[in-house]
Amino acid sequence: MKFFFPDSQDQVDPTFDFQTEERDPFRVRQRDDLYAHEVLKPPPFNGLLVSKAIVDGTAGSSTGKYTLPQRHRLYRQGAREFFRLDNGSAPLKIMGDCGAFSYVGEEYPPYTVEEVVSFYEGCGFDYGISVDHVIFQYEPKVLRTDEAAKEWVRRQQITLDLAAEFWQRCSASDVHFTPLGVTQGWSPESYAYAVVELQRIGYRRIAVGGMVPLKTKEILACLRAIDDVRAPDTQLHLLGISRVDEIPTFAGHGVTSFDSTSPFRQAFKDDRDNYYALDRTYVALRVPQVDGNAKLKARIRSGEISQGQAMQLERAALARLREFDRGEIALDAALEALDAYSAVWDGKANRSSQYRDTLENRPWQACDCSICKKVGIETIIFRGAERNKRRGFHNLHVFGQRLRRQLGDDDRD
Ligand SMILES: [Zn+2]
């Protein structure tokens, strides 16, 4: 089972100083910053998933994460060198897709097959996913012939037609990447229908799209329907799947790879499950920057609290946490400082008992990842991109461990 991590230019700055929160003034973004696979050992994923929409952006969307010079460098150097895929302790693969979520609201995908093939080939990808159009709905009882399925059938047909053209172009120009076709559907039967068509075209690697909003039992129903038509040598890739506990079950249905951002994103997008441990999750300790917190800035402007007072509480919270980590003060003293600051920036949510749980267990001290080993308690402090992304990397590390444990092997090459 191969895990691909969707790239969104998520890197950490190795020159960042956690005490002063300053950076090396000569640091160059991307070039000097480090990817998760350069920081963690073993690399927590088998490869990166790179979306054309993230690299190029689409009209009227803010998906693009690349500056123009970065984009040019990616094309010039190729993905292997740009992402420094051989810099980690194990070489990584690279898979490309179009980022169909970014244009889900459009009538028709904004990229031509020719553009996409030249993107994958030009950047030297290992795998390339055909151009697709997402179907969001899941309605197992709706048949192809029903009026309600009209738009879904249209999207599925676009996806199949583009897959046929993609296959043709890839074969004709003898590309160096392995092409994947995409199955989009709204029901188990419709997913299976598309798989039959894709296999007829010639595909033996098929990406299963549109699964993100589905419940686990719905995903399984689709995989079972696909089983009935799947050729023995057809391998499936699940696009954007976060239910990792089910991965071994998915593997039994021909799934050989998947991609997910959730271990990384939960570090700072989730209310509670911010920091992964092998058997549970913890809430991160929130100490936002006075300057970076909109609610707090509004209270300062209205005169409810002085800026000096807020900054003092912020500094005290950070200092007490570090003292607690070094064993210099008791848990209650650290918790009080955290709560005192929370009361001014976030009067509503009282996370005191969750913070106590995190502090009591000190999971950052038990973690063997290179991030926690190096920066310790800073990893679990919810504050700014440098800490939050490091916690995301830590989560990827633990996720990789969980995955290997669930699969009962160390499946890397
Ligand atoms: Zn860690």
Side-chain angles (χ1 to χ4, degrees), residues 275 367 369 372 394:
Y275 181 98
C367 180
C369 88
C372 294
H394 152 89

Side-chain angles (χ1 to χ4, degrees), residues 235-255:
Q235 301 184 39
L236 303 178
H237 175 91
L238 288 186
L239 284 162
I241 280 308
S242 51
R243 263 128 313 168
V244 295
D245 298 344
E246 306 297 332
I247 291 292
T249 317
F250 296 157
H253 294 286
V255 175

Side-chain angles (χ1 to χ4, degrees), residues 117 121 164-177 179:
V117 170
E121 186 71 353
E165 192 191 334
F166 186 76
W167 180 266
Q168 210 177 13
R169 279 189 186 268
C170 289
S171 312
S173 52
D174 204 12
V175 295
H176 295 85
F177 63 85

Side-chain angles (χ1 to χ4, degrees), residues 127-139:
Y127 305 97
I129 298 178
S130 65
V131 192
D132 63 328
H133 215 14
V134 176
I135 299 168
F136 258 129
Q137 290 76 7
Y138 184 75
E139 295 290 348

Side-chain angles (χ1 to χ4, degrees), residues 275-276 363-364 367-373 379 394-395 397-398:
Y275 181 98
Y276 283 24
W364 65 92
C367 180
D368 66 352
C369 88
S370 56
I371 303 266
C372 294
K373 280 208 168 317
T379 318
H394 152 89
N395 284 354
H397 173 81
V398 177

